Amino acid sequence: MRKAELRQLIRERKRQFTPQQLEELSLAAVSSLMKLPRIQQAKTIMLYHPLPDEVSTLPLLEQWHDKTLLLPRVIDDEHMELRRYSGPADLQQGAFGIMEPCGELFTDYQQIDVAIVPGMAFDDQGNRLGRGRGYYDRFLSRVPYIYKIGLCFRFQLVDELPNSENDIRMDLVIS
């Protein structure tokens, strides 16, 4: 199946759930994520502010006061940067209707312990299918040493994803 067809399939799967059901499924995925020793020990985490159809990271943004949280911000048609997140006042609506951080710019990428990455679909080999713009793949290709965790709903897991040399593989996928 081609990437565009897979994106459509996942969108159809997502539409089968109410927002409340997606929220409940999010809590289960986030609970699994929080149990990971790597997450518990991490001091600096790259996270994302969720779109309505993604696993909600809002509980993490509210609970992780003891960690340095970094959120991506789209800066042009190809790139994103990381900004510190210290609370809801650090957010403003950005590209594609996504809430983005307006806090302090973060560039000390060596300090990032783990990146939690959204996606349209993932497979058992850690391959990730994004929304098609390549922002995460381009960013993550510049920081290959960061441990990458894909976070998704169970129905976003597929047997195999088509991938190319530009696609960045996750070290672990949590659903």
Side-chain angles (χ1 to χ4, degrees):
M1 200 177 281
R2 292 185 3 248
K3 289 182 177 185
E5 293 168 329
L6 278 167
R7 286 185 185 99
Q8 186 58 38
L9 172 68
I10 298 300
R11 283 186 195 100
E12 289 171 12
R13 288 182 182 176
K14 287 179 179 182
R15 284 194 286 269
Q16 296 175 12
F17 296 89
T18 66
Q20 183 179 15
Q21 289 171 319
L22 290 177
E23 188 65 30
E24 290 171 13
L25 293 172
S26 287
L27 291 174
V30 165
S31 176
S32 295
L33 178 72
M34 291 178 75
K35 292 176 185 172
L36 295 174
R38 184 177 290 271
I39 292 293
Q40 293 171 358
Q41 296 164 5
K43 292 180 175 53
T44 303
I45 298 177
M46 177 182 160
L47 198 54
Y48 64 91
H49 193 281
L51 290 170
D53 66 347
E54 293 176 332
V55 171
S56 177
T57 57
L58 296 179
L60 303 175
L61 292 172
E62 294 168 5
Q63 293 176 25
W64 281 347
H65 301 291
D66 60 332
K67 301 181 185 299
T68 299
L69 299 179
L70 309 171
L71 298 179
R73 179 175 171 259
V74 171
I75 55 175
D76 62 30
D77 287 343
E78 293 187 4
H79 302 95
M80 64 185 198
E81 63 186 8
L82 297 181
R83 300 253 173 186
R84 288 183 188 270
Y85 174 82
S86 59
D90 285 349
L91 296 172
Q92 64 186 17
Q93 190 165 351
F96 312 108
I98 299 170
M99 294 303 288
E100 294 182 333
C102 53
E104 176 187 347
L105 180 65
F106 185 90
T107 58
D108 190 4
Y109 301 144
Q110 295 283 345
Q111 296 300 313
I112 300 173
D113 297 306
V114 65
I116 299 170
V117 182
M120 289 294 289
F122 295 89
D123 68 17
D124 289 338
Q125 293 76 46
N127 293 309
R128 172 185 168 272
L129 177 68
R131 293 186 181 264
R133 302 292 305 245
Y135 287 103
Y136 276 94
D137 289 321
R138 276 189 294 276
F139 180 82
L140 292 171
S141 71
R142 296 178 12 223
V143 290
Y145 46 83
I146 294 176
Y147 191 83
K148 297 165 285 301
I149 299 175
L151 184 60
C152 67
F153 298 112
R154 189 157 280 136
F155 62 79
Q156 291 177 276
L157 296 174
V158 297
D159 291 334
E160 186 177 355
L161 285 172
N163 58 26
S164 69
E165 60 193 41
N166 296 329
D167 294 331
I168 301 299
R169 190 172 286 188
M170 301 293 104
D171 297 298
L172 178 67
V173 176
I174 296 292
S175 63

